[in-house]
Amino acid sequence: MWWDDPLPDAASFDALCAKAGGRVRAGESATTGGGRALFATAPVAKGEIVFRESPSLILQDPANRPLARACARCHSMLRGAPNETVCAQGCGEGYCDERCRVAHVEQGSHGLLCVGPIDSWEHPLAVLKLACARDDDGDGHLALIAEMCARCIASAARRGDASGDA
């Protein structure tokens, strides 16, 4: 399975660096005590976009939600934007626009984790969402694990993977 494969080395990112016009290189970071990083190989103007990618996983900490409302999919701040919308199932999840709402349901985890259609707080999904919100140690790991599992299941369903090896 894909998770058994070793992580790619820095050289695996050469094609991505080439897409950025060869203006960045991937390598080991000596200043941070290890790990991989991207380094500019030519001068870069302030504000210039050199490299752009989507994160593999991004999740707002449930404890932070009442303080800073963000789009459930792209995590842009929700500040009363003209296209702001909410989940059609009635769970209250907010989105910056209809495109993000639809994508989060069809391609993301919300189709599996939405509590809108649930009529009881004893439902296992409602219990899970409440536990994520309470998160006793405050690290957000339970919500992160729930999100990762839902994304894997949704991805397998989109591929038509009937083997159960999501």
Side-chain angles (χ1 to χ4, degrees), residues 34-103:
R36 297 185 187 131
L38 290 178
F39 300 92
T41 58
V44 178
K46 183 178 180 179
E48 180 180 358
I49 297 173
V50 177
F51 188 81
R52 183 180 302 207
E53 67 179 345
S54 296
S56 298
L57 183 65
I58 184 171
L59 183 70
Q60 184 177 9
D61 189 323
N64 174 267
R65 289 176 149 224
L67 305 172
R69 295 277 297 154
C71 175
R73 179 177 173 262
C74 74
H75 297 277
S76 296
M77 296 307 296
L78 297 178
R79 296 188 177 113
N83 296 324
E84 189 175 322
T85 188
V86 295
C87 172
Q89 298 276 359
C91 73
E93 199 72 84
Y95 298 94
C96 61
D97 59 25
E98 187 67 12
R99 181 185 57 84
C100 268
R101 185 192 68 77
V102 170

Side-chain angles (χ1 to χ4, degrees), residues 77-158:
M77 296 307 296
L78 297 178
R79 296 188 177 113
N83 296 324
E84 189 175 322
T85 188
V86 295
C87 172
Q89 298 276 359
C91 73
E93 199 72 84
Y95 298 94
C96 61
D97 59 25
E98 187 67 12
R99 181 185 57 84
C100 268
R101 185 192 68 77
V102 170
H104 199 217
V105 171
E106 293 179 357
Q107 300 162 2
S109 60
H110 195 65
L112 294 168
L113 295 178
C114 180
V115 294
I118 295 173
D119 58 2
S120 167
W121 287 107
E122 277 85 44
H123 187 282
L125 182 55
V127 171
L128 172 65
K129 295 287 266 201
L130 285 171
C132 290
R134 290 184 182 126
D135 192 15
D136 294 338
D137 57 5
D139 61 10
H141 287 161
L142 184 57
L144 187 68
I145 292 167
E147 180 74 13
M148 287 172 38
C149 290
R151 285 188 185 199
C152 288
I153 292 166
S155 176
R158 282 194 308 278

Side-chain angles (χ1 to χ4, degrees), residues 25 27-40:
R25 70 170 175 79
E28 301 297 319
S29 174
T31 60
T32 62
R36 297 185 187 131
L38 290 178
F39 300 92

